[in-house]
Amino acid sequence: DATPGGNDVLRQMVNNLWGANTPEEVHIIKTQLYSDSYHDVRIKGNDRTVSMPKAFIFTATNLADEKKRTNLIYYDNAGEHFRPENNSADTPGAQHVAQADGIIFLLDPFNHNDFKRKIRDMHAEEGGDPQFDQKVSSNPDVILDEMRKRIEELTGSKRCKAPFAFVVGKSDAWREKIIPDGRTLWDPKMAANENCPAGLDLGVVEHNSEIIEEMLNDISPGLVARAKAMSDNHMFFGTSNFGHPAVRVERKDPENPGKTITVPLPDPNRLNPELVDIPVLWILSQTDPGIVNSVRNPNLQL
């Protein structure tokens, strides 16, 4: 943790989730414009302030060789920042994406009409995940188009040079339903064995990417085309932040205190994140290979 004070927002989020005893105690705030993960910055020589995302800075070290160190600087942009109407001189907080060493795009399958329809049909006999009750509020296709447009405006290139990780989240809701029988998403983090040293197995990363790409092609070919157009160095990932389906929690409606609403939340006693670190490790393997050992196990049967 390179900036303990600056990373306080993240620690609060971790405590709100992992420190809870019941789903009712969990409090999760969606990343939004002008939220706690943003701060106002005064422009030098200009009598105005703009809202910019905070930089969360961590130090990563290869434990086998402590001379191999790097700073990881994360910016957590709300999807709203890449809506066309938010691209103005007063909201430049997404321009750093054009200079980033790596980009992670997170798709919420419950916030994409075609994906949501696909998994709703497959969950019909099970009563349904409470996230199905929420209205789709964004358009990932527009966000990707706008992101690519801004990168081109800022760099003059139609493709970003940075590795681009397209992540389909909440895999606990679709993994067993959509991925064909006999195909599995494996953990690429490999322990040392007689055939291969320890490290991130790029063969497994590519294997998982092929499965996710085929799945997305069946649901939304246009989304896959947009993702692949972002960068020549792209990869698809499937992750689950919580590792289990959401549960229903009744809470007071903040807009109407006299009523209650149903909120989908994780159960803190069942938290078991799946493959959430792999997109970051893959990007590091591409940009700073001294930090992450990249391997290919020749005897691994996928």
Side-chain angles (χ1 to χ4, degrees), residues 122-298:
M122 295 181 172
H123 281 266
E125 298 179 357
E126 304 173 10
D129 189 299
Q131 294 172 101
F132 286 120
D133 300 335
Q134 295 185 314
K135 183 180 178 181
V136 172
S137 59
S138 67
N139 190 325
D141 300 289
V142 172
I143 291 174
L144 282 170
D145 285 341
E146 181 66 20
M147 183 187 298
R148 188 181 179 202
K149 173 176 171 286
R150 294 189 197 182
I151 290 174
E152 182 177 359
E153 289 175 349
L154 293 167
T155 67
S157 174
K158 291 184 178 294
R159 290 174 179 259
C160 65
K161 297 180 181 179
F164 182 78
F166 188 100
V167 181
V168 184
K170 302 179 180 177
S171 61
D172 53 88
W174 51 262
R175 182 182 58 246
E176 306 298 332
K177 304 289 183 180
I178 299 179
I179 294 179
D181 291 341
R183 307 202 72 183
T184 304
L185 299 179
W186 298 99
D187 191 336
K189 298 192 298 294
M190 296 295 173
N193 57 59
E194 60 183 11
N195 299 311
C196 189
L200 184 75
D201 194 314
L202 297 182
V204 178
V205 172
E206 293 164 3
H207 162 83
N208 290 350
S209 180
E210 290 173 2
I211 293 177
I212 301 301
E213 182 180 345
E214 290 175 11
M215 176 193 75
L216 282 175
N217 252 326
D218 183 54
I219 297 172
S220 179
L223 199 58
V224 173
R226 286 175 171 85
K228 297 175 75 169
M230 287 293 300
S231 171
D232 289 327
N233 189 10
H234 59 266
M235 208 67 70
F236 294 89
F237 300 85
T239 70
S240 174
N241 285 358
F242 305 136
H244 67 274
V247 299
R248 298 176 186 273
V249 174
E250 297 295 324
R251 285 191 171 165
K252 291 184 179 180
D253 187 345
E255 298 180 0
N256 192 341
K259 295 184 177 180
T260 60
I261 56 175
T262 299
V263 181
L265 290 170
D267 182 345
N269 297 305
R270 298 168 60 196
L271 291 174
N272 184 30
E274 299 174 359
L275 305 180
V276 295
D277 52 346
I278 304 306
V280 173
L281 293 176
W282 172 71
I283 288 176
L284 278 175
S285 75
Q286 306 298 296
T287 62
D288 205 334
I291 302 298
V292 175
N293 299 326
S294 301
V295 300
R296 288 183 183 270
N297 188 341

Side-chain angles (χ1 to χ4, degrees), residues 17-33:
L17 176 60
W18 293 87
N21 296 307
T22 66
E24 287 75 16
E25 294 180 1
V26 172
H27 185 60
I28 297 177
I29 301 176
K30 178 185 177 296
T31 303
Q32 301 178 26
L33 291 173

Side-chain angles (χ1 to χ4, degrees), residues 84-124:
E85 65 270 21
N86 286 330
N87 188 20
S88 72
D90 294 324
T91 57
Q95 293 184 0
H96 60 270
V97 73
Q99 303 297 329
D101 291 319
I103 299 173
I104 300 175
F105 182 89
L106 177 61
L107 174 71
D108 179 356
F110 289 93
N111 212 16
H112 184 273
N113 286 314
D114 294 334
F115 207 127
K116 185 176 181 180
R117 187 179 301 113
K118 179 83 170 181
I119 55 180
R120 182 192 295 275
D121 294 341
M122 295 181 172
H123 281 266

Side-chain angles (χ1 to χ4, degrees), residues 32-44:
Q32 301 178 26
L33 291 173
Y34 318 118
S35 67
D36 287 343
S37 58
Y38 284 73
H39 59 169
D40 290 335
V41 176
R42 180 171 293 278
I43 302 299
K44 185 177 182 179

